Amino acid sequence: MTTETLPEQRASDSRVGGHLRNYFERVRGGELGALPAVFGLVVLCVIFSVLRPAFLSAINFANLFTQGAAVTVIAMGLVFVLLLGEIDLSAGFASGVCAAVLAVLLTLEGWPWYLAVLAAMLTGVLIGLALGSLVAKLGIPSFVVTLAAFLAFQGVVLLLVKNGTNISIQDGTILAIANNNVPPLLGWAGAVVGVAAYAVIQITQARRRTGRGLVADPMSVIGFRVAALAAVAGVAVYVLNLERSRNAAIVSLKGVPIVVPLIVLLLIVWTFVLRRTAYGRHIYAVGGNAEAARRAGIDVDRIRISAFVICSFMASVGGIIAASRANSVDPNTGGSNVLLFAVGAAVIGGTSLFGGRGRALDAVLGGAVVAVIENGMGLMGYSAGVKFAVTGSVLLLAASVDALSRKRAAAGGRR
Amino acid sequence: MSQGPILELRGINKSFGPVQVLHDVAFSAHAGEVTALVGDNGAGKSTLVKCVGGIHQIDSGEYFFEGRKVQVHGPRDAAELGVEIVYQDLALCDNLDIVQNMFLGRERRSGLVLDEAGMEEMAAKTLEGLSVRTVKSLRQHVSSLSGGQRQTVAIAKAVLWNSKVVILDEPTAALGVAQTAQVLELVRRLADNGLAVVLISHNMNDVFAVSDRIAALYLGRMAAQTKTSEVTHSQVVELITSGRSGELGLGNGNGATS
Ligand SMILES: Nc1ncnc2c1ncn2[C@@H]1O[C@H](COP(=O)(O)OP(=O)(O)OP(=O)(O)O)[C@@H](O)[C@H]1O
Ligand SMILES: [Mg+2]
């Protein structure tokens, strides 16, 4: 109900200059998005590759992916819970429980891999249902519920693997997930199809919007995004397709690790859910203002429970990957630093601990940062103690950035 | 208006724990009219409105819509009837943009996917109808809007749907002089288009400027519901502050006249 018009500004939004200006305005207003994570990633990579040239080797590059995969996947699930302003401290050991279920069924009971995987995932879903119901229906703070579950699941893992023995995994399919690679040509095909599909989606979307007279991203910006994606995917596939084996005559080791397309697939699915479906919209709404969501007729309890289900389900997938990478499951699977690394990954990537802000991509960016720190410091020969301390500091730093950007947004009249 | 009320409440009781906030309240709103709901702070106006909107369940009492008795168990039931409410605290999600807020809970989709362009178009049209032009982009987060702009978005959200009853809980509280005039004009226009409008306000000038009927709540009881033309300024003030005014008000039967 106000009078002044800003037609020039509107028109300029469709040009590159306006687009950039809007972007900088948002950043200054506290919406940092992926900026800190990407910046951190670049800085860390430069530091490590200068100090330890081995960091840049093809074999180490491939290692980064398999090292970070489980944490990244768990972090992707945590994003859903964090979006609601809740926390799941049990996600690490939930992944351990699911991995243990997988190992017991595969190795001790002799189930086929697909049934064992299904059972592990179902375990994750049930865990999420239980946690979510306690939080949403009984109203116990998620911090307390999942702290209790953290302890309990640790016990469950111990019980499942019979007090400390470890269960090895021999099934070829499960082992392939974190140990085998996609054939080089297929890797290239996947990258090309992926980039092309992204370009087509972006362009048709912009076309449709312009056709209806709405402000759309300018083609040059879309071109830039597509080019950036193509560059990242191209370099990654190229390096991963290099021969990594010390002795290529005996065994050839090259290609994109299978976990990479798996993570990309999960990323696409959850990004679609969060950004393009009503359900995703409702998750953001509940995280932003639960009472407003309730008044809009959204079933807030159902949303809460479902977020915990997604989180624990993703933990089960993370557990399966971890089991595959370690070739076994032991009482420490999903334990020690897994949860903190996963929460750290989500927050470092830009997901807010206060709820309402976050993306599936955050988990991948943050997961990459965490993996690079762990890997790089390992190469430099630092002990686990130093690694923990540094990762903890990075998490604190990310949380500070989160809190400060929120404060900044509040100061700018945004709440 | 000759037909019966489109929205009618009878004998509404509502308690929060031991505190009874609404006592045997009767209330009605007619199509094509503006009904002002007045009362002191804490009289129970917002509570009554939330009962109408399905946010609070009524303890007892009857809810009629277009002459039929209905049960409203949640916000969706009210929305399905065609009742839209602009709440006093606006109930917007700061982390969502204007379009997302306006369609919250009732997103348009094609298949599984949200129809973003369609929603943006409809939102733009509605806001244009309210002659809102200061917002830079419909895609800006609500957190970056001024108080008045937020109010406008909340109102636009209510008129977006082809609703039959629009209830506005102190819609002008955060607005400047010009914007207040515009909201009042809108309120009148909605009623002239055949909607039943309920306006909650503490400003007697506004109430007398736009309303056809006035309902006065006093300590959770309906003191009187009368035609605006049949009461004076000071009578309404008396009803608000003491629950009665001469013939009108509590203590003289149930108070619900005309
Ligand atoms: N959820 C609740 N729980 C307990 N008491 C409540 C609740 N909501 C309202 N009340 C009480 O009900 C009474 C009426 O409140 P209500 O918000 O309906 O007043 P109002 O007429 O809208 O006042 P105002 O003009 O200040 O907006 C108040 O005494 C308030 O304390
Ligand atoms: Mg009120």
XYZ file of all heavy atoms in Angstrom, chain A residues 129-208:
576
model
N 11.603 -42.489 12.759
C 10.206 -42.412 13.200
C 10.129 -42.278 14.720
O 9.370 -41.464 15.250
C 9.448 -43.674 12.776
C 8.695 -43.636 11.465
C 8.045 -44.977 11.192
C 7.630 -42.534 11.505
N 10.939 -43.093 15.403
C 10.917 -43.072 16.865
C 11.396 -41.717 17.388
O 10.724 -41.076 18.208
C 11.784 -44.200 17.413
N 12.548 -41.269 16.884
C 13.102 -39.990 17.362
C 12.125 -38.846 17.068
O 11.823 -38.017 17.933
C 14.440 -39.699 16.671
C 15.596 -40.664 16.939
C 16.800 -40.265 16.103
C 15.946 -40.659 18.414
N 11.635 -38.807 15.823
C 10.751 -37.723 15.401
C 9.470 -37.691 16.221
O 8.994 -36.627 16.612
N 8.919 -38.872 16.506
C 7.674 -38.905 17.274
C 7.900 -38.387 18.684
O 7.077 -37.655 19.225
C 7.130 -40.329 17.330
O 6.966 -40.820 16.025
N 9.033 -38.770 19.278
C 9.312 -38.296 20.635
C 9.437 -36.771 20.652
O 8.965 -36.104 21.573
C 10.603 -38.929 21.165
C 10.470 -40.408 21.542
C 11.836 -41.008 21.842
C 9.557 -40.554 22.754
N 10.071 -36.231 19.621
C 10.255 -34.776 19.572
C 8.937 -34.073 19.263
O 8.525 -33.133 19.958
C 11.315 -34.399 18.508
C 11.372 -32.897 18.315
C 12.676 -34.931 18.912
N 8.228 -34.554 18.218
C 7.048 -33.824 17.748
C 5.834 -34.071 18.631
O 5.114 -33.135 18.976
C 6.738 -34.226 16.303
N 5.600 -35.314 19.003
C 4.359 -35.633 19.720
C 4.477 -35.393 21.219
O 3.577 -34.861 21.846
C 3.952 -37.093 19.464
C 3.620 -37.388 18.006
C 2.328 -36.688 17.574
C 1.972 -37.041 16.141
N 0.947 -36.154 15.582
N 5.618 -35.807 21.794
C 5.771 -35.619 23.244
C 6.353 -34.249 23.569
O 6.240 -33.769 24.683
C 6.659 -36.706 23.839
C 6.022 -38.074 24.001
C 6.919 -38.974 24.837
C 4.658 -37.959 24.674
N 7.009 -33.651 22.586
C 7.563 -32.323 22.815
C 8.844 -32.315 23.621
O 9.187 -31.315 24.247
N 9.570 -33.446 23.645
C 10.882 -33.449 24.310
C 11.859 -32.745 23.371
O 11.837 -32.980 22.172
C 11.382 -34.885 24.556
C 10.269 -35.750 25.140
C 12.606 -34.890 25.458
C 10.645 -37.212 25.265
N 12.722 -31.870 23.896
C 13.687 -31.202 23.019
C 14.537 -32.230 22.275
O 14.961 -33.229 22.858
C 14.544 -30.382 23.987
C 13.687 -30.188 25.182
C 12.804 -31.390 25.287
N 14.785 -31.969 21.001
C 15.500 -32.943 20.179
C 16.906 -33.172 20.723
O 17.456 -34.265 20.601
C 15.567 -32.454 18.741
O 16.189 -31.194 18.681
N 17.467 -32.154 21.346
C 18.792 -32.274 21.925
C 18.832 -33.427 22.930
O 19.738 -34.249 22.931
C 19.155 -30.939 22.599
C 20.415 -30.977 23.390
C 21.637 -30.963 22.750
C 20.377 -31.037 24.771
C 22.815 -31.008 23.476
C 21.548 -31.075 25.500
C 22.759 -31.063 24.856
N 17.811 -33.484 23.775
C 17.767 -34.506 24.822
C 17.455 -35.880 24.236
O 18.127 -36.876 24.530
C 16.717 -34.132 25.886
C 16.605 -35.231 26.924
C 17.068 -32.807 26.532
N 16.440 -35.925 23.369
C 16.047 -37.203 22.765
C 17.230 -37.843 22.059
O 17.539 -39.027 22.246
C 14.900 -36.995 21.751
C 14.643 -38.270 20.966
C 13.639 -36.554 22.463
N 17.930 -37.037 21.255
C 18.977 -37.638 20.438
C 20.265 -37.853 21.230
O 21.085 -38.679 20.859
C 19.263 -36.784 19.181
O 19.667 -35.480 19.580
C 18.032 -36.683 18.315
N 20.419 -37.118 22.335
C 21.569 -37.385 23.206
C 21.376 -38.742 23.879
O 22.310 -39.553 23.971
C 21.701 -36.279 24.258
C 22.981 -36.285 25.088
C 24.196 -36.127 24.188
C 22.951 -35.183 26.135
N 20.143 -38.999 24.324
C 19.830 -40.301 24.907
C 20.036 -41.392 23.857
O 20.624 -42.445 24.131
C 18.393 -40.318 25.424
N 19.564 -41.112 22.629
C 19.688 -42.107 21.562
C 21.158 -42.341 21.215
O 21.559 -43.461 20.896
C 18.915 -41.654 20.329
N 21.951 -41.292 21.287
C 23.389 -41.379 21.016
C 24.014 -42.467 21.893
O 24.732 -43.344 21.436
C 24.006 -40.008 21.305
C 25.508 -39.963 21.335
C 26.231 -39.819 20.165
C 26.181 -40.041 22.533
C 27.608 -39.766 20.186
C 27.565 -39.984 22.563
C 28.284 -39.847 21.390
N 23.670 -42.404 23.183
C 24.210 -43.369 24.133
C 23.639 -44.759 23.869
O 24.363 -45.753 23.823
C 23.871 -42.900 25.550
C 24.772 -43.445 26.642
C 26.186 -42.936 26.439
C 24.234 -43.017 27.998
N 22.318 -44.798 23.694
C 21.648 -46.083 23.512
C 22.146 -46.790 22.251
O 22.426 -47.994 22.277
C 20.136 -45.875 23.441
N 22.281 -46.045 21.158
C 22.696 -46.674 19.896
C 24.126 -47.189 19.989
O 24.475 -48.201 19.391
C 22.575 -45.687 18.727
C 21.152 -45.333 18.391
C 20.855 -44.213 17.641
C 20.104 -46.127 18.829
C 19.554 -43.877 17.328
C 18.793 -45.808 18.526
C 18.521 -44.683 17.783
N 24.948 -46.473 20.736
C 26.311 -46.938 20.949
C 26.271 -48.330 21.572
O 27.008 -49.228 21.174
C 27.012 -45.956 21.893
C 28.497 -46.113 21.940
C 29.156 -44.925 22.628
O 28.476 -43.990 23.068
N 30.453 -44.960 22.726
N 25.337 -48.484 22.529
C 25.154 -49.788 23.160
C 24.639 -50.817 22.173
O 25.095 -51.963 22.153
N 23.698 -50.403 21.334
C 23.112 -51.339 20.373
C 24.181 -51.860 19.405
O 24.226 -53.051 19.099
C 21.957 -50.669 19.596
C 21.476 -51.579 18.477
C 20.813 -50.344 20.544
N 25.058 -50.958 18.963
C 26.129 -51.397 18.057
C 26.986 -52.451 18.757
O 27.287 -53.511 18.196
C 27.014 -50.207 17.617
C 28.146 -50.706 16.730
C 26.199 -49.167 16.875
N 27.339 -52.178 20.008
C 28.149 -53.131 20.776
C 27.459 -54.485 20.855
O 28.075 -55.536 20.662
C 28.365 -52.592 22.195
C 29.642 -51.812 22.447
C 29.661 -51.292 23.871
C 30.851 -52.709 22.187
N 26.154 -54.461 21.150
C 25.409 -55.709 21.264
C 25.388 -56.453 19.936
O 25.562 -57.664 19.882
C 23.978 -55.425 21.730
C 23.842 -54.874 23.158
C 22.402 -54.519 23.463
C 24.370 -55.905 24.156
N 25.165 -55.689 18.853
C 25.042 -56.329 17.544
C 26.355 -56.976 17.094
O 26.345 -58.031 16.471
C 24.574 -55.310 16.495
C 23.076 -54.982 16.524
C 22.761 -53.846 15.561
C 22.239 -56.211 16.174
N 27.469 -56.300 17.393
C 28.742 -56.886 16.951
C 29.380 -57.705 18.061
O 30.574 -57.979 18.036
C 29.735 -55.829 16.427
C 29.156 -55.088 15.245
C 30.125 -54.865 17.528
N 28.586 -58.121 19.019
C 29.022 -59.049 20.074
C 30.274 -58.556 20.800
O 31.338 -59.175 20.716
C 29.290 -60.434 19.473
C 28.122 -61.034 18.718
C 27.178 -61.770 19.650
C 26.045 -62.470 18.934
N 25.389 -61.715 17.869
N 30.117 -57.406 21.439
C 31.169 -56.896 22.311
C 32.567 -56.833 21.721
O 33.481 -57.501 22.182
C 31.209 -57.705 23.599
C 30.013 -57.396 24.453
O 29.562 -56.250 24.503
N 29.465 -58.410 25.090
N 32.665 -56.056 20.689
C 34.021 -55.701 20.309
C 34.668 -56.511 19.207
O 35.639 -56.070 18.630
N 34.133 -57.677 18.895
C 34.676 -58.340 17.723
C 34.230 -57.538 16.516
O 33.254 -56.816 16.592
C 34.100 -59.763 17.585
O 32.682 -59.663 17.649
C 34.622 -60.662 18.670
N 34.935 -57.637 15.406
C 34.385 -56.926 14.265
C 33.890 -57.902 13.213
O 34.360 -59.039 13.127
C 35.348 -55.864 13.738
C 36.393 -56.402 12.813
O 36.247 -57.491 12.268
N 37.456 -55.650 12.648
N 32.856 -57.491 12.490
C 32.270 -58.365 11.484
C 32.782 -57.913 10.128
O 32.564 -56.769 9.736
C 30.735 -58.269 11.512
C 30.225 -58.499 12.944
C 30.125 -59.257 10.545
C 28.728 -58.396 13.068
N 33.454 -58.789 9.436
C 33.976 -58.381 8.134
C 32.883 -58.524 7.081
O 31.908 -59.238 7.265
C 35.179 -59.236 7.760
O 34.729 -60.541 7.474
N 33.070 -57.783 6.006
C 32.093 -57.824 4.924
C 32.764 -58.383 3.690
O 33.833 -57.907 3.283
C 31.525 -56.416 4.668
C 30.631 -56.042 5.843
C 30.769 -56.362 3.359
C 29.955 -54.733 5.721
N 32.154 -59.420 3.115
C 32.777 -60.041 1.955
C 31.976 -59.861 0.676
O 32.472 -60.114 -0.408
C 32.970 -61.541 2.220
C 34.224 -61.848 3.025
C 33.901 -62.577 4.323
O 32.899 -63.262 4.426
N 34.753 -62.408 5.319
N 30.743 -59.405 0.822
C 29.881 -59.284 -0.349
C 30.471 -58.294 -1.359
O 30.753 -57.135 -1.034
C 28.498 -58.819 0.088
C 27.538 -58.766 -1.085
O 27.535 -57.729 -1.788
O 26.830 -59.753 -1.305
N 30.634 -58.732 -2.593
C 31.291 -57.915 -3.614
C 30.546 -56.625 -3.920
O 31.167 -55.571 -4.109
N 29.245 -56.690 -3.974
C 28.466 -55.504 -4.335
C 28.628 -54.409 -3.289
O 28.834 -53.244 -3.616
C 26.973 -55.867 -4.460
O 26.867 -57.077 -5.193
C 26.211 -54.759 -5.146
N 28.525 -54.782 -2.012
C 28.658 -53.788 -0.948
C 30.077 -53.217 -0.944
O 30.276 -52.006 -0.825
C 28.343 -54.428 0.425
C 26.898 -54.956 0.460
C 28.551 -53.409 1.538
C 25.846 -53.908 0.273
N 31.070 -54.091 -1.089
C 32.452 -53.609 -1.094
C 32.707 -52.660 -2.260
O 33.487 -51.718 -2.153
C 33.427 -54.791 -1.172
C 33.496 -55.644 0.096
C 34.472 -56.803 -0.102
C 33.923 -54.799 1.295
N 32.014 -52.888 -3.379
C 32.238 -52.066 -4.567
C 31.892 -50.596 -4.316
O 32.550 -49.703 -4.863
C 31.414 -52.603 -5.730
N 30.895 -50.338 -3.476
C 30.402 -48.972 -3.291
C 31.539 -47.996 -3.009
O 31.637 -46.945 -3.642
C 29.369 -48.914 -2.138
C 28.160 -49.788 -2.470
C 28.938 -47.466 -1.884
C 27.190 -49.938 -1.321
N 32.398 -48.327 -2.060
C 33.442 -47.380 -1.678
C 34.811 -47.768 -2.215
O 35.781 -47.045 -2.010
C 33.496 -47.252 -0.159
N 34.908 -48.936 -2.891
C 36.226 -49.393 -3.312
C 36.409 -49.483 -4.820
O 37.534 -49.525 -5.297
C 36.525 -50.752 -2.688
C 36.598 -50.663 -1.171
O 37.423 -49.937 -0.622
N 35.701 -51.356 -0.497
N 35.315 -49.539 -5.560
C 35.449 -49.689 -7.015
C 35.139 -48.378 -7.732
O 34.615 -47.435 -7.135
C 34.521 -50.784 -7.523
C 35.013 -52.157 -7.100
O 35.873 -52.259 -6.207
N 34.498 -53.180 -7.725
N 35.458 -48.378 -9.029
C 35.310 -47.154 -9.805
C 34.407 -47.375 -11.013
O 34.239 -48.497 -11.489
C 36.672 -46.676 -10.285
C 37.628 -46.493 -9.122
O 37.322 -45.772 -8.183
N 38.747 -47.190 -9.155
N 33.863 -46.286 -11.483
C 33.069 -46.313 -12.700
C 34.042 -46.383 -13.880
O 35.076 -45.713 -13.854
C 32.226 -45.026 -12.785
C 31.436 -44.961 -14.072
C 31.314 -44.915 -11.579
N 33.746 -47.170 -14.940
C 34.630 -47.193 -16.118
C 34.830 -45.771 -16.653
O 33.873 -44.992 -16.683
C 33.854 -48.038 -17.133
C 32.907 -48.851 -16.316
C 32.615 -48.078 -15.085
N 36.069 -45.432 -17.044
C 36.381 -44.055 -17.449
C 35.411 -43.460 -18.464
O 34.980 -42.308 -18.309
C 37.790 -44.185 -18.031
C 38.385 -45.321 -17.285
C 37.268 -46.281 -17.029
N 35.050 -44.240 -19.479
C 34.159 -43.693 -20.504
C 32.796 -43.347 -19.925
O 32.209 -42.307 -20.222
C 33.992 -44.704 -21.641
C 34.961 -44.503 -22.804
C 34.686 -45.527 -23.904
C 34.822 -43.075 -23.364
N 32.311 -44.223 -19.050
C 31.018 -43.985 -18.420
C 31.077 -42.720 -17.566
O 30.127 -41.942 -17.491
C 30.633 -45.193 -17.574
C 29.165 -45.296 -17.174
C 28.284 -45.366 -18.403
C 28.942 -46.530 -16.293
N 32.265 -42.510 -16.937
C 32.448 -41.298 -16.141
C 32.267 -40.058 -17.002
O 31.547 -39.128 -16.642
N 32.921 -40.061 -18.156
C 32.789 -38.917 -19.059
C 31.347 -38.740 -19.513
O 30.807 -37.625 -19.518
C 33.690 -39.090 -20.282
C 35.113 -38.686 -20.014
C 36.227 -39.465 -20.106
C 35.570 -37.398 -19.597
N 37.346 -38.756 -19.770
C 36.974 -37.473 -19.451
C 34.930 -36.180 -19.311
C 37.752 -36.403 -19.042
C 35.705 -35.092 -18.911
C 37.094 -35.220 -18.782
N 30.713 -39.878 -19.886
C 29.332 -39.811 -20.358
C 28.439 -39.191 -19.284
O 27.625 -38.294 -19.553
C 28.833 -41.205 -20.727
N 28.642 -39.656 -18.043
C 27.827 -39.136 -16.942
C 28.006 -37.633 -16.779
O 27.035 -36.887 -16.619
N 29.275 -37.189 -16.835
C 29.545 -35.764 -16.658
C 28.877 -34.946 -17.760
O 28.231 -33.916 -17.499
C 31.050 -35.516 -16.643
N 29.019 -35.417 -19.012
C 28.449 -34.676 -20.139
C 26.919 -34.607 -20.015
O 26.316 -33.538 -20.120
C 28.848 -35.331 -21.487
C 28.056 -34.713 -22.633
C 30.344 -35.160 -21.720
N 26.304 -35.764 -19.758
C 24.843 -35.789 -19.626
C 24.387 -34.888 -18.477
O 23.439 -34.115 -18.604
C 24.344 -37.239 -19.408
C 22.871 -37.248 -19.033
C 24.582 -38.069 -20.655
N 25.112 -34.970 -17.365
C 24.734 -34.168 -16.196
C 24.780 -32.681 -16.493
O 23.831 -31.947 -16.218
N 25.899 -32.226 -17.064
C 26.040 -30.802 -17.360
C 24.984 -30.358 -18.382
O 24.353 -29.304 -18.236
C 27.460 -30.476 -17.871
C 27.545 -29.024 -18.333
C 28.481 -30.729 -16.771
N 24.778 -31.200 -19.410
C 23.794 -30.847 -20.437
C 22.401 -30.740 -19.824
O 21.654 -29.784 -20.091
C 23.805 -31.894 -21.552
N 22.064 -31.698 -18.973
C 20.738 -31.677 -18.351
C 20.570 -30.420 -17.507
O 19.521 -29.761 -17.543
C 20.547 -32.928 -17.488
N 21.628 -30.070 -16.763
C 21.568 -28.863 -15.940
C 21.320 -27.641 -16.813
O 20.464 -26.799 -16.509
C 22.880 -28.714 -15.164
C 22.961 -27.479 -14.311
C 22.249 -27.385 -13.124
C 23.754 -26.391 -14.698
C 22.317 -26.251 -12.335
C 23.833 -25.249 -13.914
C 23.111 -25.190 -12.731
O 23.171 -24.070 -11.970
N 22.064 -27.566 -17.928
C 21.909 -26.420 -18.828
C 20.489 -26.352 -19.386
O 19.853 -25.287 -19.386
C 22.922 -26.523 -19.974
N 19.989 -27.494 -19.825
C 18.642 -27.515 -20.414
C 17.598 -27.061 -19.388
O 16.738 -26.227 -19.679
C 18.302 -28.937 -20.935
C 16.826 -29.038 -21.272
C 19.149 -29.255 -22.157
N 17.706 -27.573 -18.177
C 16.727 -27.214 -17.144
C 16.778 -25.713 -16.869
O 15.749 -25.029 -16.832
C 16.991 -28.005 -15.847
C 16.629 -29.472 -16.067
C 16.185 -27.427 -14.690
C 17.027 -30.379 -14.936
N 18.008 -25.198 -16.695
C 18.157 -23.766 -16.398
C 17.582 -22.904 -17.520
O 16.883 -21.920 -17.279
C 19.638 -23.433 -16.190
C 20.210 -24.018 -14.929
C 20.030 -23.078 -13.753
O 20.360 -21.906 -13.826
N 19.477 -23.584 -12.673
N 17.892 -23.271 -18.762
C 17.469 -22.440 -19.890
C 15.954 -22.502 -20.083
O 15.292 -21.472 -20.233
C 18.204 -22.871 -21.187
C 19.695 -22.494 -21.067
C 17.597 -22.175 -22.403
C 20.547 -23.054 -22.164
N 15.384 -23.710 -20.016
C 13.921 -23.782 -20.199
C 13.212 -23.022 -19.090
O 12.206 -22.350 -19.337
C 13.414 -25.240 -20.207
O 14.003 -25.930 -19.119
C 13.732 -25.938 -21.504
N 13.761 -23.113 -17.897
C 13.127 -22.395 -16.787
C 13.131 -20.887 -17.038
O 12.113 -20.220 -16.886
C 13.900 -22.701 -15.508
C 12.997 -22.993 -14.343
C 13.790 -23.600 -13.213
O 14.916 -23.183 -12.927
N 13.232 -24.589 -12.565
N 14.289 -20.383 -17.442
C 14.406 -18.950 -17.704
C 13.490 -18.533 -18.855
O 12.809 -17.508 -18.796
C 15.855 -18.594 -18.023
N 13.462 -19.361 -19.911
C 12.598 -19.079 -21.063
C 11.145 -18.978 -20.630
O 10.420 -18.070 -21.016
C 12.708 -20.215 -22.087
C 13.941 -20.166 -22.939
C 13.603 -19.664 -24.346
N 14.822 -19.384 -25.088
C 15.516 -20.332 -25.730
N 15.084 -21.575 -25.752
N 16.625 -20.014 -26.354
N 10.725 -19.965 -19.828
C 9.329 -20.000 -19.408
C 8.984 -18.739 -18.613
O 7.935 -18.151 -18.785
C 9.071 -21.251 -18.565
C 7.597 -21.601 -18.515
C 7.349 -22.917 -17.800
N 8.147 -24.012 -18.308
C 8.624 -25.006 -17.541
N 8.394 -24.980 -16.237
N 9.321 -25.976 -18.053
